[in-house]
Amino acid sequence: MVVQLREATQPREAAELLAAAGVPVFPCVALEKRPLTTHGFHDASLDPNQVADWWRRWPDANVAMPTGMASGIDVVDVDVHASGNGYDAIRSARSSGLLGDPAWMVKTPSSGLHLCFLHAGDASQPSWQVPRKHVDFRGDGGYVVLPPSHVTQDDNTIGQYEVIDIATHQPDSVDAGALRRFLDPPRPTRSPADLPVVGTRRDRLAAWVASLSEGERNHGLFWASCRMAEAGERFDVAADVLGGAARQAGLSDRESLTTIQSAYRIATRLGAGSTRSGCPRPMQAVEGVRL
């Protein structure tokens, strides 16, 4: 399907190919990203008659698809702006093991990238943005314009979406929650309740995590995980001790595990036991400084 998409010369041709392959599509305004249908990506269809009718009505329309569970495709959007781009952030995420190989990649008109991953499982992954890192995630509740559509840029030049790479082996899925926590770590505005002191034993850290209430649980678990990593505790020990405590506090096993993994990745960049790992110190949390 992606090979055929790369060879398509008109958005209408791409729309027909995608719909036939089981990917719902909808039309956007010619040279724009704005949907033409009343309900936007919610109107996306697999019906060949509907698709044909849209492009009879709007023959120059661009083609787009909803992302996430609706299409089975999650997209990490690497933006390029005058103020910066997301390439450094994505390279850092890949080197930290948080971003694997996409099924295919699309070059966007601004010279950015759409990294297209096959959605895994039945869990919802909502769309989000991290503007200061110039990276967006297009999952549930989002959409992307597709090749070979064209859009007008801010400088009035016209650019095209192009498929530039297709995986030759089994591609990876993406854990959007873990990626977001890596790009935009938790930033508490106040100290978690009864913050333990540095050096607290792991059983006391676990008891403290188990006592956290909603609104405190995620960044409290992240802080405690950093403390265990800096103390040289193995990841599997932290996952067992703090994971069980987080479950008592009401977090899911998956959410707890990804939070602990994020903390360990950050804490071990400079080596176990480092005091410069990038994890929050107690006084930083009290003062509301970013983690």
Side-chain angles (χ1 to χ4, degrees), residues 105-259:
M105 293 192 295
V106 171
K107 180 177 177 291
T108 68
S110 66
S111 295
L113 278 180
H114 284 171
L115 306 177
C116 301
F117 296 87
L118 301 183
H119 185 87
D122 55 3
S124 173
Q125 298 201 107
S127 298
W128 47 258
Q129 298 177 312
V130 182
R132 66 189 183 91
K133 293 294 181 69
H134 307 285
V135 175
D136 302 338
F137 174 72
R138 309 293 183 186
D140 295 306
Y143 72 91
V144 291
V145 177
L146 298 167
S149 299
H150 293 74
V151 297
T152 303
Q153 301 292 91
D154 291 339
D155 60 2
N156 290 322
T157 60
I158 296 175
Q160 182 178 2
Y161 291 85
E162 303 175 62
V163 176
I164 59 171
D165 187 66
I166 302 172
T168 57
H169 56 277
Q170 181 62 37
D172 298 310
S173 58
V174 58
D175 185 332
L179 178 61
R180 185 177 191 179
R181 284 188 289 274
F182 177 82
L183 296 174
D184 191 21
R187 292 169 287 176
T189 56
R190 64 182 179 85
S191 171
D194 303 320
L195 188 70
V197 297
V198 174
T200 298
R201 295 196 316 259
R202 67 191 187 192
D203 58 333
R204 293 188 60 191
L205 279 174
W208 175 73
V209 168
S211 72
L212 294 175
S213 59
E214 187 174 0
E216 299 175 331
R217 298 176 303 197
N218 280 299
H219 69 255
L221 175 60
F222 185 86
W223 187 89
S225 301
C226 283
R227 301 290 77 79
M228 289 190 69
E230 290 172 354
E233 293 280 10
R234 299 196 318 267
F235 169 78
D236 61 325
V237 173
D240 180 51
V241 172
L242 296 182
R247 191 182 308 116
Q248 293 180 51
L251 291 176
S252 69
D253 289 343
R254 178 179 179 182
E255 189 172 11
S256 299
L257 183 60
T258 54
T259 297

